Amino acid sequence: MQSAGKPNTLTRRVMVGAVPVGAGAPCAVQSMLCCAADDVAANLAQIERLAAAGCEIVRMAIPRRDCLDAFEAVCAQSSLPVVADIHFDAISAIEAARRGAAKLRINPGNIGGLGACDAVIDAAGEAGIPIRIGVNAGSLDDAVSARTDLTLPHKLAESARGYVEYFEGRGFQDVVVSAKASDVNTTVEAYRVLAAELPQVPLHIGVTEAGTLFQGLVKSSSGLGILLHEGIGDTMRISLTDDPVEEVRACWALLQALGLRRRSPELVSCPTCGRCQVDLIALAQEVDERLRMVAKPIKVAVMGCVVNGPGEASDADIGVACGQGSGVLFKGGETLYKVPEDQIVETLMREIDQM
Amino acid sequence: MQSAGKPNTLTRRVMVGAVPVGAGAPCAVQSMLCCAADDVAANLAQIERLAAAGCEIVRMAIPRRDCLDAFEAVCAQSSLPVVADIHFDAISAIEAARRGAAKLRINPGNIGGLGACDAVIDAAGEAGIPIRIGVNAGSLDDAVSARTDLTLPHKLAESARGYVEYFEGRGFQDVVVSAKASDVNTTVEAYRVLAAELPQVPLHIGVTEAGTLFQGLVKSSSGLGILLHEGIGDTMRISLTDDPVEEVRACWALLQALGLRRRSPELVSCPTCGRCQVDLIALAQEVDERLRMVAKPIKVAVMGCVVNGPGEASDADIGVACGQGSGVLFKGGETLYKVPEDQIVETLMREIDQM
């Protein structure tokens, strides 16, 4: 595995609970809770599922002040640092900082202007927690939005840059910035501008409202893949209209694909063709499913024929190259033995267990 | 929508049947048949499904000479140009060129050496069809594989470059090149080297053996996304261990995400959070499913709350921003009307039908 772009080591380090973000730390994996904001038990259960999938930072919306008690209870019992996501209401943000938030996420453009930000900044400073300044193409502030001299990516970056300068001017440097759009090229360009113009600030990257699973994976993997490959991105979220556990799986799959982090097995499997003489799709899907329970950063190959099969299978940590009704197992570059088709999965999983 | 990297206009133009590849033509979408190579009816039925999904070029393996009759019958009746995929046997390649192949795909490293290639090149020349020289990390030829002065991406590119020079030396310029690996960074680097060293040759891009649907989408979208965004890639295949129709859907989703081509609706939908007061995941998935039958290149937004909802929904061609048990429809930037939650999907689809 080759490595992609190195993480940006020039940014400041921000701590979200015990999780470092920026200054060369591995890109931290985030997701967002989607249970009712006042349901403590449901949110805690979702946090445990997300943590088990590899989530490192979790975000929770506080849509109304009467949800603050629930937020406080979740923070107190959560195994992951909890970021308070707040729009429109500075008081909720201030209260969240006092009640256990590990970070605040606000869009200064909708929290009541920069004046209202002051009290939020001070509350975060007192609590010793960072703030993510999150601008979004769907909620740009009117002044920047109206500028005809800037393209949308530059509007997003300009909006974020103005806020960062305001925060820094107030002596608060503990910021992370995001500038998301639902369009991939807009998102990529906005983050490139931010990385160039704000080299000191850790960036939270994401394509927003990327859609349901299939399209969301494609949009997020291409957009964030381009950025991560260029070394841009200190923490990430892949937004999917689906179970947030899928967001976490997607983040790890992307970080692994780019050689940036490794957590779980990688399956190399061929797409099958007219040469294939076993039911490879079913076989690979079963291996894929069972590998989800394996917490070893190994490369597993399931190959359908003799063209690339032996080559890929022997290059992987463990693999099988299938022929007519049977498969030859490889491990660490060595041929092990041949097994009948109906024993391939069991044999492969047993060998993996022993690694 | 911003556009990503422009297609490379410096390459030669290759025709695969009636489909242009290279010289600025839109990146052509490919997939590969996975039915038994001797089952004419099954392969033709799969071609029709692939064509309906937007596939433009289809590849068929010829694993044995006794499959040549079936290949010829498929070519004669196929609505898409059919590429013959042949390993090990030059005679099969020569026969395929004579029996209706729109292109040959061979790996000169396993067809019997460059000597055996001569007759294949001549057969393609006589048939007036191009050849894809397909090198692959799993089946590199021994001489290049053994070189210790080259990294794997450079071995792939070097191998391809040597073959292209041989083909061109014989007066055959009608070539497309691929150099696939299952590792994303290796693939990206190999194609960058090829694009720099062989600017005249159209490139067929792909991450090989990318795995089952979820991981395959992530690996292919990131790897091919990086390349396409840089303007590299004249035709593409996304390899998935799944129904090849999913490969075609994935190609289009990626080309659309990068603003390079547009064929079907794009769904912008938010990932839901504690602010959401409708069952947005189910709603978005239903819209997503029904949009597959719509052949209009429109942008449809399904948003869960007032934070980014109205902004994104009004930016889309048509959209809905949901509130408590209801949704407000937007069309062309204008607010239309409010509907109860249980009528959102029907109303949205009716408005889309009328566009």
Side-chain angles (χ1 to χ4, degrees):
Chain A
M1 184 171 60
Q2 291 225 322
S3 78
K6 288 183 224 160
N8 183 345
T9 55
L10 300 173
T11 68
R12 288 191 290 251
R13 165 82 38 110
V14 163
M15 295 302 296
V16 183
V19 179
V21 172
C27 185
V29 171
Q30 302 208 19
S31 185
M32 189 164 182
L33 301 168
C34 63
C35 306
D38 55 4
D39 187 335
V40 176
N43 279 291
L44 285 170
Q46 194 167 51
I47 286 172
E48 288 318 300
R49 289 178 60 234
L50 290 168
C55 186
E56 297 167 310
I57 299 169
V58 73
R59 184 152 51 109
M60 180 171 172
I62 304 179
R64 306 175 309 277
R65 288 184 199 171
D66 63 18
C67 299
L68 281 160
D69 288 344
F71 176 78
E72 185 173 8
V74 169
C75 289
Q77 297 170 73
S78 171
S79 61
L80 297 178
V82 183
V83 181
D85 191 274
I86 293 146
H87 292 268
F88 311 124
D89 183 35
I91 301 296
S92 289
I94 293 163
E95 277 299 308
R98 292 176 179 158
R99 293 182 180 216
K103 180 165 89 173
L104 302 180
R105 183 264 159 139
I106 61 170
N107 179 347
N110 72 19
I111 202 98
L114 291 174
C117 277
D118 288 349
V120 178
I121 294 170
D122 294 346
E126 281 165 28
I129 60 172
I131 298 177
R132 167 154 70 102
I133 297 170
V135 304
N136 192 301
S139 53
L140 262 181
D141 84 51
D142 293 340
V144 172
S145 189
R147 285 182 58 173
T148 53
D149 59 326
L150 298 178
T151 59
L152 181 54
H154 284 88
K155 285 179 184 177
L156 285 160
E158 178 62 20
S159 181
R161 200 183 55 72
Y163 296 140
V164 168
E165 282 179 5
Y166 185 86
F167 279 55
E168 290 182 346
R170 203 174 165 83
F172 188 87
Q173 301 199 322
D174 211 9
V175 293
V176 174
V177 160
S178 65
K180 302 184 186 181
S182 62
D183 177 72
V184 169
N185 294 325
T186 301
T187 303
V188 166
E189 190 55 26
Y191 278 101
R192 283 176 174 163
V193 175
L194 283 173
E197 292 190 355
L198 298 172
Q200 77 279 21
V201 177
L203 298 178
H204 166 120
I205 58 172
V207 175
T208 193
E209 294 112 20
T212 50
L213 189 70
F214 191 101
Q215 182 195 277
L217 288 178
V218 172
K219 287 180 77 169
S220 296
S221 301
S222 56
L224 304 190
I226 290 166
L227 291 169
L228 289 167
H229 197 77
E230 293 177 7
I232 297 173
D234 300 287
T235 180
M236 69 190 293
R237 179 194 182 195
I238 288 184
S239 295
L240 298 172
T241 310
D242 208 310
D243 183 338
V245 167
E246 301 295 317
E247 301 189 343
V248 175
R249 279 183 70 205
C251 287
W252 279 104
L254 182 58
L255 291 168
Q256 294 202 166
L258 296 171
L260 294 170
R261 297 185 72 180
R262 184 158 284 284
R263 181 175 188 271
S264 48
E266 176 184 354
L267 178 64
V268 172
S269 65
C270 75
T272 93
C273 67
R275 283 187 292 271
C276 190
Q277 296 175 305
V278 297
D279 184 1
L280 196 83
I281 295 179
L283 203 152
Q285 286 172 342
E286 189 179 346
V287 172
D288 192 33
E289 194 65 41
R290 293 183 61 170
L291 285 176
R292 288 191 205 174
M293 308 301 150
V294 177
K296 297 172 184 171
I298 53 173
K299 187 168 173 181
V300 180
V302 175
M303 303 292 296
C305 84
V306 293
V307 172
N308 297 311
E312 284 288 350
S314 65
D315 182 53
D317 297 302
I318 186 162
V320 60
C322 301
Q324 189 158 16
S326 67
V328 175
L329 266 79
F330 294 82
K331 196 170 192 174
E334 304 289 321
T335 306
L336 290 184
Y337 45 79
K338 190 170 177 176
V339 291
E341 182 175 357
D342 63 0
Q343 294 170 31
I344 289 174
V345 176
E346 287 309 322
T347 313
L348 189 65
M349 295 311 299
R350 193 171 61 238
E351 290 286 349
I352 289 170
D353 282 345
Q354 291 167 7
M355 288 172 81
Chain B
M1 181 172 62
Q2 291 224 322
S3 78
K6 287 183 225 160
N8 183 347
T9 53
L10 299 174
T11 68
R12 289 190 287 251
R13 166 83 36 112
V14 163
M15 295 302 295
V16 182
V19 179
V21 172
C27 185
V29 170
Q30 302 207 17
S31 185
M32 189 164 181
L33 301 169
C34 63
C35 305
D38 54 3
D39 188 336
V40 176
N43 280 290
L44 285 171
Q46 194 167 49
I47 287 171
E48 289 318 300
R49 290 179 60 235
L50 290 168
C55 186
E56 297 167 311
I57 298 170
V58 73
R59 185 153 49 111
M60 181 170 171
I62 304 179
R64 303 176 310 278
R65 289 185 198 169
D66 62 19
C67 299
L68 281 161
D69 288 344
F71 176 78
E72 185 172 8
V74 169
C75 289
Q77 298 170 73
S78 172
S79 61
L80 297 178
V82 183
V83 182
D85 191 273
I86 292 147
H87 293 268
F88 312 124
D89 182 34
I91 301 294
S92 289
I94 293 163
E95 278 299 307
R98 293 176 179 159
R99 293 183 182 215
K103 181 166 86 173
L104 302 180
R105 183 265 160 141
I106 61 170
N107 178 347
N110 73 20
I111 203 96
L114 291 175
C117 277
D118 288 349
V120 178
I121 293 170
D122 294 346
E126 281 165 29
I129 60 172
I131 297 177
R132 166 155 69 99
I133 297 170
V135 303
N136 192 299
S139 53
L140 261 181
D141 83 52
D142 293 340
V144 172
S145 189
R147 284 182 59 174
T148 53
D149 59 323
L150 297 177
T151 60
L152 181 54
H154 283 88
K155 285 179 184 176
L156 286 161
E158 178 61 20
S159 181
R161 200 183 52 73
Y163 296 140
V164 169
E165 283 179 3
Y166 185 85
F167 279 53
E168 290 182 347
R170 203 173 167 82
F172 188 86
Q173 299 198 323
D174 210 9
V175 293
V176 174
V177 160
S178 65
K180 303 184 185 180
S182 62
D183 177 72
V184 169
N185 294 324
T186 301
T187 304
V188 166
E189 190 55 25
Y191 279 102
R192 283 176 174 163
V193 175
L194 282 174
E197 294 191 353
L198 298 172
Q200 77 279 22
V201 177
L203 297 178
H204 167 120
I205 58 173
V207 175
T208 194
E209 293 112 20
T212 49
L213 190 69
F214 192 101
Q215 181 196 279
L217 288 177
V218 171
K219 286 180 76 168
S220 296
S221 301
S222 56
L224 304 190
I226 290 167
L227 290 170
L228 289 166
H229 196 76
E230 293 177 7
I232 297 174
D234 301 286
T235 180
M236 71 191 291
R237 179 195 181 192
I238 289 184
S239 295
L240 298 171
T241 310
D242 208 312
D243 184 339
V245 166
E246 301 295 316
E247 301 189 342
V248 175
R249 280 183 70 206
C251 287
W252 280 104
L254 181 58
L255 291 168
Q256 295 203 166
L258 296 171
L260 294 171
R261 298 185 72 180
R262 185 159 285 287
R263 182 175 188 270
S264 48
E266 176 183 353
L267 177 64
V268 172
S269 66
C270 74
T272 91
C273 67
R275 284 187 291 271
C276 189
Q277 295 176 303
V278 297
D279 183 1
L280 196 81
I281 295 180
L283 203 151
Q285 285 172 344
E286 189 179 345
V287 172
D288 192 32
E289 193 66 41
R290 292 182 60 169
L291 285 176
R292 287 191 205 174
M293 309 299 148
V294 177
K296 297 172 185 173
I298 53 173
K299 188 169 170 179
V300 180
V302 175
M303 302 291 295
C305 85
V306 294
V307 171
N308 298 312
E312 284 288 350
S314 66
D315 181 52
D317 297 302
I318 186 161
V320 60
C322 301
Q324 189 156 18
S326 67
V328 175
L329 266 79
F330 294 83
K331 196 171 191 173
E334 304 289 322
T335 305
L336 289 183
Y337 45 80
K338 191 171 176 174
V339 291
E341 182 175 355
D342 63 1
Q343 293 170 31
I344 289 174
V345 175
E346 287 308 323
T347 313
L348 189 64
M349 295 311 300
R350 194 170 59 238
E351 291 286 351
I352 289 171
D353 282 344
Q354 290 167 8
M355 287 171 80

